[in-house]
Amino acid sequence: SNDCGVSEQTTVLQGQALNISGVAGHPKLLSVGASRIFLVAEGAALTLRGIHLTLGKAPFEFACPPPYTQCAGGAIHAYHATIVLVNMKLTHNHAFYGGALFATHQTALVLSQVMMSSNSATRYGSAIRLKCTALHPCTLTIFNIVYGTDEICEWAPLNFDTIAQIKFMQTFKDTVLILSLIHISEPT
C-alpha cells in the first residue's frame, strides 16, 4: 500500500519549503485522527500533489485567540504562508474553524483539482476558513474544486472575511456553483 499514517503534526518553519508528491494515479493517505497534519508557519511554503489528507483534527474543540493555532485547521493551519494543493483529496477532517484548512494573515492559497468531502467545523468553513483582513489580505486561486458532503447548513464549505484577490479558473457553470457555496462574514 502507498498509504502513510502519522501520529503528530508536521510543522513547516519560517523560511522552509516542504513539497510532497503522491504516487502518480494513486494518492497517498496521510491520516492522523488525533492531531492536525500540517502547521505552516509565517514565511513557510507547503506544496502537496496527489495526496489524500484525512482524519486531521485541530488540538482544541473550542474557540481560541488569534492566530487560532490551537482550534483551527483540521488538516492544515497556515499563517502568512504559501499553500499549493494540486490533485488532492481532503476528507473527514475537523476543527472549530476551517474543518480541513484554515489560513490567515496574508496567506497565498492555490487549489487545483481538489476534492473536499465529509469535513466539518464547529463554526465557519466546514472545508476551508480564511480569516484575513484588509491590513493582512489573503490570496485565493481556485482551479476546479469539487465538493462532496461537507456540512453546508449555516457554515458554508468556504468561509472568509476580507480577501484581496479571488480567482475562479473554471467554467462559468462551475463558478456559479462554487460562489453559491461561499459564506462571506463581516470583518472583525
Side-chain angles (χ1 to χ4, degrees):
S1 169
N2 292 319
D3 297 348
C4 177
V6 294
S7 60
E8 57 187 58
Q9 80 180 6
T10 297
T11 301
V12 185
L13 299 174
Q14 183 173 8
Q16 291 182 333
L18 178 61
N19 297 294
I20 301 175
S21 294
V23 177
H26 192 125
K28 290 182 182 178
L29 171 66
L30 301 176
S31 87
V32 292
S35 69
R36 174 186 301 120
I37 301 171
F38 293 102
L39 175 64
V40 187
E42 181 174 4
L46 174 66
T47 300
L48 302 174
R49 297 177 192 282
I51 306 286
H52 181 170
L53 300 181
T54 189
L55 301 177
K57 186 175 180 185
F60 295 159
E61 182 55 40
F62 46 85
C64 62
Y68 311 101
T69 307
Q70 296 300 313
C71 64
I76 300 171
H77 182 284
Y79 176 86
H80 196 182
T82 300
I83 307 293
V84 178
L85 305 179
V86 179
N87 190 24
M88 294 281 300
K89 290 183 182 179
L90 301 169
T91 65
H92 303 284
N93 298 290
H94 179 77
F96 190 82
Y97 300 120
L101 191 150
F102 179 86
T104 188
H105 205 83
Q106 294 178 295
T107 292
L109 180 61
V110 177
L111 307 175
S112 178
Q113 298 182 8
V114 176
M115 191 279 287
M116 294 176 269
S117 178
S118 301
N119 297 290
S120 61
T122 305
R123 305 221 17 208
Y124 306 122
S126 59
I128 298 173
R129 166 76 165 142
L130 299 179
K131 180 87 172 131
C132 307
T133 66
L135 275 174
H136 304 288
C138 294
T139 302
L140 172 63
T141 304
I142 296 176
F143 300 86
N144 301 321
I145 283 188
V146 176
Y147 288 106
T149 56
D150 285 328
E151 292 179 13
I152 296 175
C153 54
E154 184 177 353
W155 316 117
L158 278 176
N159 176 278
F160 48 82
D161 291 331
T162 305
I163 306 296
Q165 182 178 28
I166 301 174
K167 300 177 186 175
F168 291 96
M169 305 302 209
Q170 300 182 293
T171 65
F172 180 76
K173 183 176 113 182
D174 291 339
T175 302
V176 171
L177 172 65
I178 295 296
L179 289 173
S180 70
L181 295 175
I182 294 175
H183 169 79
I184 302 173
S185 60
E186 293 296 318
T188 55

